[in-house]
Amino acid sequence: ERRIPANSRFLNYKYIKKADTEYLLTLETRKERRHYLSEVFMEYNPQYNEDQQLILLDFYESILNLGLQYKMSALKISSLLGIFHETLFWSISTRAILEKMYFYFKDKLLEHSVERPPKSIAIFTRDDVRIISDYFMEDVYKMFNFYEYALNTQQLLELSTQEYSLCQLPEEMVVKHEMDETDPREIPDLQEYLPAQMPTIQSKSDNTTEQIESVLQKGIAQIQQEMERRMAEQDEKFME
């Protein structure tokens, strides 16, 4: 059963055991290696969906291919996977800027490249450090914004809409019907601005209705006259 050792400073065989790493190096096909990497590392990332896990699998596979390309040992490949794994997830969880991510990676790499127990151990050579650093700059540092966007599961922004302001009109000013008219003398706040004598407000609804009907009748009459004129012209042309 795989477990992450508690309080382990060094990353050799931390995320993938020695026996698992050595077995991984015996696999000949890409399909077999990807399947085994998925079994080893996906248990550390259960919060991700299928698409996110595929992105992570490509990430781990590319690091493994780097080790295979330069014929690194199981110890080096295990450490390499651990360094990149912790750098990526530390940077995402802390929302670190690129500069801080680079220094975090550099410190982890130096801890595994210089023989100064108990602070560091020499797993990688100087040539290894150059190769790993170049790979990090090209394939992780430049792509970090993509990984951060694709793998960040935190809720960063929540938008909601609310009433900007609410204004309750005085009861006297509420118009109950579109056709209602309010007598200004009935509004207390306007009393000081009104003259002593106010003209009586008369309803214009009846006159308005009569005017509308008159306009409509005239319009209909004009349309009828125009239609009759056009029909007469057509009859004349037809008779010719």
Side-chain angles (χ1 to χ4, degrees):
E1 182 181 357
R2 301 185 183 91
R3 293 182 303 171
I4 302 176
N7 301 321
S8 176
R9 181 183 184 86
F10 303 115
L11 305 178
N12 52 303
Y13 304 130
K14 177 177 181 179
Y15 294 98
I16 177 170
K17 291 182 178 180
K18 180 178 179 181
D20 294 329
T21 309
E22 291 174 346
Y23 175 74
L24 181 62
L25 298 183
T26 65
L27 300 177
E28 297 181 356
T29 66
R30 182 192 179 199
K31 183 178 180 180
E32 291 175 325
R33 291 193 293 268
R34 283 179 65 86
H35 178 72
Y36 200 72
L37 281 171
S38 177
E39 288 186 343
V40 172
F41 281 98
M42 289 307 113
E43 67 177 278
Y44 302 119
N45 310 297
Q47 72 274 26
Y48 292 121
N49 59 37
E50 184 177 353
D51 292 334
Q52 292 171 318
Q53 289 185 358
L54 286 175
I55 293 173
L56 278 176
L57 188 55
D58 290 340
F59 173 77
Y60 294 126
E61 183 188 19
S62 64
I63 299 168
L64 173 62
N65 290 338
L66 176 69
L68 295 175
Q69 179 182 352
Y70 291 96
K71 297 180 172 55
M72 294 184 182
S73 65
L75 175 64
K76 290 183 178 181
I77 289 178
S78 174
S79 303
L80 190 64
L81 287 167
I83 290 173
F84 278 85
H85 173 86
E86 288 206 349
T87 298
L88 179 65
F89 285 98
W90 176 85
S91 302
I92 291 175
S93 63
T94 61
R95 296 188 56 78
I97 60 175
L98 290 175
E99 183 181 6
K100 288 186 177 181
M101 180 185 69
Y102 172 75
F103 285 120
Y104 183 90
F105 165 78
K106 185 185 71 173
D107 290 342
K108 288 294 181 181
L109 184 58
L110 289 177
E111 286 179 1
H112 297 78
S113 305
V114 180
E115 189 64 29
R116 290 181 181 175
K119 293 186 177 181
S120 61
I121 53 177
I123 295 177
F124 298 111
T125 65
R126 182 177 298 178
D127 289 339
D128 293 333
V129 171
R130 177 183 56 79
I131 292 169
I132 296 169
S133 297
D134 290 344
Y135 173 84
F136 174 81
M137 294 301 296
E138 290 296 323
D139 291 76
V140 179
Y141 184 86
K142 292 181 178 180
M143 296 291 294
F144 175 67
N145 288 335
F146 162 75
Y147 287 119
E148 184 180 35
Y149 176 80
L151 301 176
N152 199 322
T153 59
Q154 297 180 4
Q155 188 175 16
L156 304 179
L157 180 63
E158 181 178 352
L159 295 177
S160 62
T161 58
Q162 294 181 349
E163 293 288 348
Y164 182 75
S165 64
L166 296 175
C167 178
Q168 183 66 39
L169 295 175
E171 294 183 1
E172 292 83 355
M173 298 183 65
V174 176
V175 180
K176 298 181 180 180
H177 191 274
E178 292 182 359
M179 300 300 295
D180 289 346
E181 293 185 2
T182 302
D183 189 341
R185 291 172 298 183
E186 298 177 0
I187 304 176
D189 294 340
L190 297 180
Q191 295 300 318
E192 60 179 304
Y193 303 102
L194 298 178
Q197 295 292 330
M198 283 288 294
T200 303
I201 298 176
Q202 298 178 352
S203 175
K204 298 181 180 180
S205 59
D206 295 338
N207 294 335
T208 301
T209 303
E210 293 176 357
Q211 292 174 1
I212 293 175
E213 290 180 352
S214 175
V215 171
L216 289 176
Q217 292 297 333
K218 289 181 181 180
I220 293 173
Q222 291 176 356
I223 293 174
Q224 288 177 345
Q225 292 176 1
E226 180 66 18
M227 290 296 296
E228 291 175 356
R229 184 184 65 80
R230 291 185 180 183
M231 291 178 66
E233 290 178 354
Q234 291 179 356
D235 290 343
E236 292 178 0
K237 291 181 180 180
F238 178 76
M239 296 298 294
E240 293 176 358

Coordinates of all heavy atoms in Angstrom, one line a residue, residues 55-103:
I55 N -4.8 15.9 -18.0 CA -3.7 16.9 -18.1 C -2.6 16.6 -17.2 O -1.4 16.7 -17.5 CB -4.4 18.3 -17.7 CG1 -5.3 18.7 -18.8 CG2 -3.3 19.3 -17.6 CD1 -6.1 19.9 -18.5
L56 N -2.9 16.1 -16.0 CA -1.9 15.7 -15.0 C -1.1 14.5 -15.5 O 0.1 14.5 -15.3 CB -2.5 15.4 -13.6 CG -2.9 16.6 -12.7 CD1 -3.6 16.2 -11.5 CD2 -1.6 17.4 -12.4
L57 N -1.8 13.6 -16.1 CA -1.1 12.4 -16.6 C -0.1 12.8 -17.7 O 1.0 12.2 -17.7 CB -2.1 11.4 -17.1 CG -1.6 10.0 -17.5 CD1 -0.9 9.4 -16.4 CD2 -2.8 9.1 -18.0
D58 N -0.4 13.7 -18.5 CA 0.5 14.2 -19.5 C 1.7 14.9 -18.9 O 2.8 14.7 -19.3 CB -0.2 15.2 -20.5 CG -1.2 14.5 -21.4 OD1 -1.1 13.3 -21.6 OD2 -2.1 15.2 -21.9
F59 N 1.4 15.6 -17.8 CA 2.5 16.3 -17.0 C 3.5 15.3 -16.5 O 4.7 15.4 -16.6 CB 1.8 17.1 -15.9 CG 2.8 17.7 -15.0 CD1 3.5 18.8 -15.3 CD2 2.9 17.2 -13.7 CE1 4.4 19.4 -14.4 CE2 3.8 17.8 -12.8 CZ 4.5 18.9 -13.1
Y60 N 3.0 14.2 -15.8 CA 3.9 13.2 -15.2 C 4.6 12.4 -16.3 O 5.8 12.1 -16.1 CB 3.1 12.3 -14.3 CG 2.5 12.9 -13.1 CD1 1.1 12.8 -12.8 CD2 3.2 13.7 -12.2 CE1 0.5 13.4 -11.7 CE2 2.7 14.3 -11.1 CZ 1.3 14.1 -10.8 OH 0.8 14.7 -9.7
E61 N 3.9 12.1 -17.4 CA 4.5 11.3 -18.4 C 5.7 12.1 -19.1 O 6.7 11.5 -19.4 CB 3.5 11.0 -19.5 CG 4.1 10.1 -20.6 CD 3.1 9.9 -21.7 OE1 2.2 10.7 -21.9 OE2 3.3 8.9 -22.5
S62 N 5.5 13.4 -19.3 CA 6.6 14.2 -19.9 C 7.8 14.2 -19.0 O 9.0 14.2 -19.5 CB 6.1 15.6 -20.2 OG 5.8 16.3 -19.0
I63 N 7.6 14.2 -17.7 CA 8.8 14.2 -16.7 C 9.4 12.9 -16.7 O 10.7 12.8 -16.7 CB 8.3 14.6 -15.3 CG1 7.7 16.0 -15.3 CG2 9.4 14.5 -14.3 CD1 6.9 16.3 -14.0
L64 N 8.6 11.8 -16.8 CA 9.2 10.5 -16.9 C 10.0 10.3 -18.2 O 11.1 9.8 -18.2 CB 8.1 9.4 -16.9 CG 8.5 8.0 -17.2 CD1 9.5 7.5 -16.1 CD2 7.3 7.1 -17.2
N65 N 9.5 10.8 -19.3 CA 10.2 10.7 -20.6 C 11.5 11.5 -20.5 O 12.5 11.1 -21.2 CB 9.3 11.3 -21.7 CG 8.2 10.4 -22.0 OD1 8.2 9.2 -21.7 ND2 7.1 11.0 -22.6
L66 N 11.6 12.6 -19.8 CA 12.8 13.3 -19.6 C 13.9 12.4 -18.9 O 15.0 12.4 -19.4 CB 12.6 14.6 -18.8 CG 13.9 15.4 -18.4 CD1 14.4 16.0 -19.7 CD2 13.5 16.5 -17.4
G67 N 13.5 11.7 -17.9 CA 14.4 10.8 -17.2 C 14.8 9.7 -18.1 O 16.0 9.3 -18.1
L68 N 13.9 9.1 -18.8 CA 14.2 8.0 -19.7 C 15.1 8.5 -20.8 O 16.0 7.7 -21.3 CB 12.9 7.4 -20.3 CG 12.0 6.7 -19.3 CD1 10.7 6.3 -20.0 CD2 12.6 5.5 -18.7
Q69 N 14.9 9.7 -21.3 CA 15.8 10.2 -22.4 C 17.2 10.3 -22.0 O 18.1 10.0 -22.8 CB 15.2 11.6 -22.9 CG 16.0 12.2 -24.0 CD 15.5 13.6 -24.3 OE1 14.5 14.0 -23.8 NE2 16.3 14.3 -25.2
Y70 N 17.5 10.7 -20.8 CA 18.9 10.8 -20.3 C 19.3 9.7 -19.4 O 20.3 9.8 -18.7 CB 19.0 12.1 -19.6 CG 18.9 13.3 -20.5 CD1 17.7 14.0 -20.7 CD2 20.0 13.8 -21.2 CE1 17.6 15.1 -21.5 CE2 19.9 14.9 -22.1 CZ 18.7 15.5 -22.2 OH 18.6 16.6 -23.1
K71 N 18.5 8.5 -19.5 CA 18.9 7.3 -18.9 C 19.2 7.5 -17.4 O 20.2 7.0 -16.8 CB 20.1 6.7 -19.5 CG 19.9 6.3 -21.0 CD 21.1 5.6 -21.6 CE 20.8 5.1 -23.0 NZ 20.2 6.0 -23.9
M72 N 18.3 8.2 -16.7 CA 18.4 8.4 -15.3 C 18.0 7.2 -14.5 O 17.2 6.4 -15.0 CB 17.6 9.6 -14.8 CG 18.0 10.9 -15.4 SD 17.0 12.3 -14.7 CE 17.7 13.7 -15.6
S73 N 18.6 7.0 -13.3 CA 18.3 5.9 -12.5 C 16.9 6.0 -11.9 O 16.2 7.1 -11.9 CB 19.3 5.8 -11.4 OG 19.2 6.9 -10.5
A74 N 16.4 5.0 -11.2 CA 15.2 5.0 -10.5 C 15.1 6.0 -9.4 O 14.1 6.7 -9.2 CB 14.8 3.6 -10.0
L75 N 16.3 6.2 -8.7 CA 16.4 7.2 -7.6 C 16.2 8.6 -8.2 O 15.4 9.4 -7.6 CB 17.7 7.1 -7.0 CG 18.0 8.1 -5.9 CD1 17.1 8.0 -4.7 CD2 19.5 8.0 -5.4
K76 N 16.8 8.9 -9.3 CA 16.7 10.2 -9.9 C 15.3 10.5 -10.4 O 14.8 11.6 -10.2 CB 17.7 10.4 -11.0 CG 19.2 10.4 -10.5 CD 20.1 10.7 -11.7 CE 21.6 10.8 -11.2 NZ 22.5 11.1 -12.3
I77 N 14.7 9.5 -11.1 CA 13.4 9.7 -11.7 C 12.3 9.9 -10.6 O 11.4 10.7 -10.7 CB 13.0 8.5 -12.6 CG1 13.9 8.6 -13.9 CG2 11.5 8.5 -12.9 CD1 13.6 7.4 -14.8
S78 N 12.5 9.1 -9.5 CA 11.5 9.3 -8.4 C 11.7 10.7 -7.8 O 10.7 11.3 -7.5 CB 11.8 8.2 -7.3 OG 11.1 8.4 -6.2
S79 N 12.9 11.1 -7.6 CA 13.1 12.5 -7.1 C 12.6 13.5 -8.0 O 12.0 14.5 -7.6 CB 14.6 12.7 -6.8 OG 15.1 11.7 -5.9
L80 N 12.8 13.3 -9.3 CA 12.4 14.2 -10.3 C 10.9 14.4 -10.4 O 10.4 15.5 -10.4 CB 12.9 13.8 -11.7 CG 12.8 14.7 -12.9 CD1 13.6 15.9 -12.7 CD2 13.2 14.0 -14.2
L81 N 10.2 13.3 -10.3 CA 8.7 13.4 -10.3 C 8.2 14.1 -9.0 O 7.3 14.9 -9.1 CB 8.1 11.9 -10.3 CG 8.2 11.2 -11.7 CD1 7.9 9.7 -11.6 CD2 7.2 11.9 -12.7
G82 N 8.9 13.8 -7.9 CA 8.5 14.4 -6.6 C 8.7 15.9 -6.7 O 7.9 16.7 -6.2
I83 N 9.8 16.4 -7.2 CA 10.1 17.8 -7.3 C 9.1 18.6 -8.1 O 8.6 19.6 -7.7 CB 11.6 18.1 -7.8 CG1 12.6 17.6 -6.8 CG2 11.8 19.5 -8.1 CD1 14.0 17.6 -7.3
F84 N 8.8 18.0 -9.3 CA 7.9 18.7 -10.2 C 6.5 18.6 -9.6 O 5.7 19.6 -9.7 CB 7.9 18.1 -11.6 CG 9.1 18.6 -12.4 CD1 10.3 18.1 -12.3 CD2 8.9 19.7 -13.3 CE1 11.4 18.5 -13.1 CE2 9.9 20.2 -14.0 CZ 11.2 19.6 -13.9
H85 N 6.1 17.5 -9.0 CA 4.8 17.4 -8.4 C 4.6 18.4 -7.3 O 3.6 19.2 -7.3 CB 4.6 16.0 -7.8 CG 3.4 15.8 -7.0 ND1 2.2 15.4 -7.6 CD2 3.1 15.9 -5.7 CE1 1.2 15.3 -6.7 NE2 1.8 15.6 -5.5
E86 N 5.5 18.6 -6.4 CA 5.4 19.5 -5.3 C 5.4 21.0 -5.8 O 4.7 21.8 -5.3 CB 6.4 19.2 -4.2 CG 6.2 18.0 -3.4 CD 6.8 18.0 -2.0 OE1 7.6 18.9 -1.7 OE2 6.5 17.1 -1.2
T87 N 6.3 21.2 -6.7 CA 6.4 22.6 -7.3 C 5.1 23.0 -7.9 O 4.6 24.1 -7.6 CB 7.5 22.7 -8.3 OG1 8.8 22.4 -7.7 CG2 7.6 24.1 -8.9
L88 N 4.5 22.2 -8.7 CA 3.2 22.5 -9.4 C 2.1 22.8 -8.4 O 1.4 23.8 -8.4 CB 2.9 21.4 -10.3 CG 1.5 21.6 -11.1 CD1 1.6 22.8 -12.0 CD2 1.1 20.4 -11.9
F89 N 1.9 21.9 -7.4 CA 0.8 22.0 -6.5 C 1.0 23.0 -5.4 O 0.0 23.6 -4.9 CB 0.4 20.6 -6.0 CG -0.3 19.7 -7.0 CD1 0.5 18.8 -7.7 CD2 -1.6 19.9 -7.2 CE1 -0.2 18.0 -8.6 CE2 -2.2 19.1 -8.2 CZ -1.5 18.1 -8.9
W90 N 2.2 23.2 -5.1 CA 2.5 24.3 -4.1 C 2.2 25.7 -4.8 O 1.5 26.5 -4.2 CB 4.0 24.3 -3.7 CG 4.3 25.5 -2.8 CD1 4.1 25.6 -1.5 CD2 4.8 26.8 -3.2 NE1 4.5 26.9 -1.0 CE2 4.9 27.6 -2.1 CE3 5.2 27.3 -4.5 CZ2 5.4 28.9 -2.1 CZ3 5.7 28.6 -4.5 CH2 5.8 29.4 -3.4
S91 N 2.6 25.8 -6.0 CA 2.3 27.1 -6.8 C 0.8 27.3 -7.0 O 0.4 28.4 -6.9 CB 3.1 27.0 -8.1 OG 4.4 26.8 -7.9
I92 N 0.1 26.2 -7.3 CA -1.3 26.4 -7.6 C -2.1 26.7 -6.3 O -2.9 27.6 -6.2 CB -1.9 25.1 -8.2 CG1 -1.4 25.0 -9.7 CG2 -3.4 25.2 -8.2 CD1 -1.8 23.7 -10.4
S93 N -1.8 26.0 -5.2 CA -2.5 26.2 -3.9 C -2.2 27.5 -3.3 O -3.1 28.1 -2.6 CB -2.1 25.0 -3.0 OG -0.7 25.1 -2.6
T94 N -1.0 28.1 -3.5 CA -0.7 29.4 -2.9 C -0.9 30.5 -3.9 O -0.7 31.7 -3.5 CB 0.8 29.4 -2.5 OG1 1.7 29.2 -3.6 CG2 1.0 28.3 -1.4
R95 N -1.3 30.2 -5.2 CA -1.4 31.2 -6.2 C -0.2 32.0 -6.3 O -0.2 33.3 -6.4 CB -2.7 32.1 -6.0 CG -4.0 31.3 -6.0 CD -5.2 32.2 -6.0 NE -5.2 33.2 -7.0 CZ -5.5 32.9 -8.3 NH1 -5.9 31.7 -8.7 NH2 -5.5 33.9 -9.2
A96 N 0.9 31.3 -6.4 CA 2.2 32.0 -6.4 C 2.5 32.7 -7.8 O 2.0 32.1 -8.8 CB 3.4 31.0 -6.1
I97 N 3.2 33.8 -7.8 CA 3.6 34.4 -9.0 C 4.7 33.5 -9.6 O 5.3 32.7 -8.9 CB 4.0 35.8 -8.8 CG1 5.2 35.9 -7.8 CG2 2.9 36.7 -8.3 CD1 5.8 37.3 -7.7
L98 N 5.0 33.8 -10.9 CA 6.0 32.9 -11.5 C 7.4 33.0 -10.9 O 8.1 32.0 -10.8 CB 6.1 33.3 -13.0 CG 4.9 33.0 -13.9 CD1 5.1 33.6 -15.3 CD2 4.7 31.5 -14.0
E99 N 7.8 34.2 -10.4 CA 9.1 34.3 -9.8 C 9.2 33.4 -8.5 O 10.2 32.8 -8.3 CB 9.3 35.8 -9.4 CG 10.7 36.0 -8.8 CD 10.9 37.5 -8.5 OE1 9.9 38.3 -8.6 OE2 12.0 37.9 -8.1
K100 N 8.1 33.4 -7.7 CA 8.2 32.6 -6.5 C 8.2 31.1 -6.8 O 8.8 30.3 -6.1 CB 7.0 33.0 -5.6 CG 7.1 34.3 -4.9 CD 5.9 34.5 -3.9 CE 6.1 35.9 -3.2 NZ 5.0 36.1 -2.2
M101 N 7.4 30.8 -7.9 CA 7.4 29.4 -8.3 C 8.8 28.9 -8.7 O 9.3 27.8 -8.4 CB 6.5 29.1 -9.4 CG 6.4 27.7 -9.9 SD 5.4 27.4 -11.3 CE 6.3 28.3 -12.6
Y102 N 9.5 29.8 -9.4 CA 10.9 29.4 -9.9 C 11.8 29.2 -8.7 O 12.6 28.3 -8.7 CB 11.4 30.5 -10.8 CG 12.9 30.3 -11.1 CD1 13.3 29.4 -12.0 CD2 13.8 31.1 -10.5 CE1 14.6 29.2 -12.3 CE2 15.2 30.9 -10.8 CZ 15.6 30.0 -11.7 OH 16.9 29.8 -12.0
F103 N 11.8 30.1 -7.7 CA 12.7 30.0 -6.6 C 12.3 28.8 -5.7 O 13.2 28.1 -5.1 CB 12.6 31.3 -5.7 CG 13.3 32.4 -6.3 CD1 12.7 33.6 -6.6 CD2 14.7 32.4 -6.5 CE1 13.4 34.7 -7.2 CE2 15.4 33.4 -7.1 CZ 14.7 34.6 -7.4

